[in-house]
Amino acid sequence: MNFNADISSFEKKIGYTFNDKNIIYEALSHSSFANETKKNSNERLEFLGDSVLSIVVSNYLFEHYKHLPEGHLTKVRASLVCESSLYEFAKTIDLGSFIMLGKGEENTGGRKRPSILADAFEAVIAAIYLDGGIEKASEYVLSFIPKDLSLKKAVSNNDYKTILQEVIQKNPEEKIEYFLKDAVGPDHDKTFTIQVKLNSNVIGEGVGHSKKQAEQAAAKEALMLMGYEI
C-alpha cells in the first residue's frame, strides 16, 4: 500500500486536506490491522466521531426544522446517525477501499461490512474535527445530509435505543447505560453482547455483530419486557 498516494486520493474524495496525516492514518486503521502492526486502531476516534456527528446533526435539525417537537427531532436524528445510514454515506466516498484491514478481515469481505464502514465513517469525522475544528467537521457531515430529507420516513424509523430513551426520560431521575458484557470470535467475525441497565439493574440484553446492533437488540428486549409492543 502506498500510504501517501492513498491518503492523497482519499483527501480528494472527501474534499479535505489533513495537516496531520497521522490522524487520518489512525482513522482508517481497523482493529484487525492495528493488532497486526502494533499501531493504534480507529476505535477511540470512532467514539469521539459519534459525539461530533450527533451534535452537528442535532444543531442542523434544530435550526432547519423549527416546527418539529423534541420527540420528532430525536427520531429524525436517530435515522441519520444509525449504522445503516452511515454505511450508505461511507459507500458514496468509497470508504471501504481506503480502510486498512488485517489479513483475516480482508479475506472475509471486511471492506463491505456495514459495521466496519459505519465505524470508520465516524472515525473520519473525529479526525477532521481534531485536525480542522468543528466548522470543517460540520461541513463534512452536512454534505451527506439529504437536501430532500423525508421527515415522515425518518420519524417512523424504528430506533429502539431512541424509543427506550424517550420512555425513560419521562422519569428524569432515571438513567440508562449500555455496557459491553462479552465479545467473542475473531476480529473479522466478532459477536458482541451488550446489556442495558436502568440505574444499576439490567433491563435488557442483546447480541449482534457490531456494538450498535447489540445495543439496538438490548433496547428492543428492554422495551418488550416493559410491555411495549414492538
Side-chain angles (χ1 to χ4, degrees):
M1 174 180 287
N2 187 327
F3 170 67
N4 290 327
D6 281 355
I7 292 301
S8 178
S9 295
F10 184 67
E11 288 175 331
K12 290 178 181 178
K13 279 275 188 182
I14 65 175
Y16 180 81
T17 300
F18 286 87
N19 298 302
D20 181 359
K21 306 300 183 185
N22 291 321
I23 197 168
I24 186 57
Y25 181 89
E26 184 174 325
L28 296 173
S29 297
H30 184 256
S31 59
S32 61
F33 174 80
N35 290 338
E36 291 182 3
T37 58
K38 308 303 179 185
K39 302 289 186 179
N40 292 331
S41 77
N42 61 8
E43 291 179 346
R44 282 174 53 83
L45 287 174
E46 174 206 338
F47 166 79
L48 177 60
D50 180 73
S51 296
V52 175
L53 173 65
S54 182
I55 189 63
V56 169
V57 173
S58 296
N59 185 66
Y60 174 80
L61 294 176
F62 182 80
E63 292 294 334
H64 288 79
Y65 297 97
K66 298 181 183 297
H67 62 290
L68 286 184
E70 181 271 340
H72 282 193
L73 288 172
T74 299
K75 291 179 181 178
V76 175
R77 180 183 62 195
S79 75
L80 292 171
V81 303
C82 67
E83 183 177 288
S84 61
S85 290
L86 300 185
Y87 171 58
E88 294 300 326
F89 297 160
K91 288 196 297 182
T92 67
I93 56 171
D94 194 25
L95 181 55
S97 295
F98 298 95
I99 299 173
M100 290 172 281
L101 301 171
K103 293 179 181 178
E105 197 67 65
E106 181 78 69
N107 294 333
T108 55
R111 294 192 183 281
K112 296 182 180 180
R113 202 181 309 282
S115 60
I116 290 178
L117 289 173
D119 291 347
F121 188 84
E122 289 181 327
V124 170
I125 292 172
I128 295 174
Y129 168 70
L130 293 173
D131 190 76
I134 189 64
E135 184 175 337
K136 292 298 183 181
S138 295
E139 289 177 6
Y140 175 71
V141 170
L142 296 180
S143 70
F144 294 92
I145 303 300
K147 297 298 184 289
D148 57 344
L149 183 60
S150 173
L151 298 183
K152 184 176 182 181
K153 179 180 179 181
V155 168
S156 65
N157 184 57
N158 284 330
D159 182 83
Y160 300 113
K161 284 184 65 178
T162 298
I163 297 171
L164 179 61
Q165 185 66 43
E166 289 182 346
V167 170
I168 300 303
Q169 282 178 345
K170 295 176 182 177
N171 299 299
E173 71 279 3
E174 305 287 2
K175 181 181 180 181
I176 60 171
E177 294 182 281
Y178 293 85
F179 294 89
L180 177 63
K181 179 183 178 183
D182 198 14
V184 298
D187 287 335
H188 65 274
D189 191 25
K190 199 174 287 292
T191 298
F192 299 92
T193 301
I194 297 284
Q195 290 182 334
V196 56
K197 294 184 178 182
L198 176 59
N199 299 325
S200 59
N201 300 312
V202 177
I203 60 172
E205 183 172 300
V207 176
H209 286 294
S210 72
K211 291 178 183 178
K212 291 182 177 66
Q213 288 179 353
E215 288 173 351
Q216 288 288 349
K220 181 178 181 179
E221 180 177 89
L223 288 165
M224 293 175 67
L225 293 174
M226 293 167 68
Y228 287 85
E229 295 185 6
I230 302 299

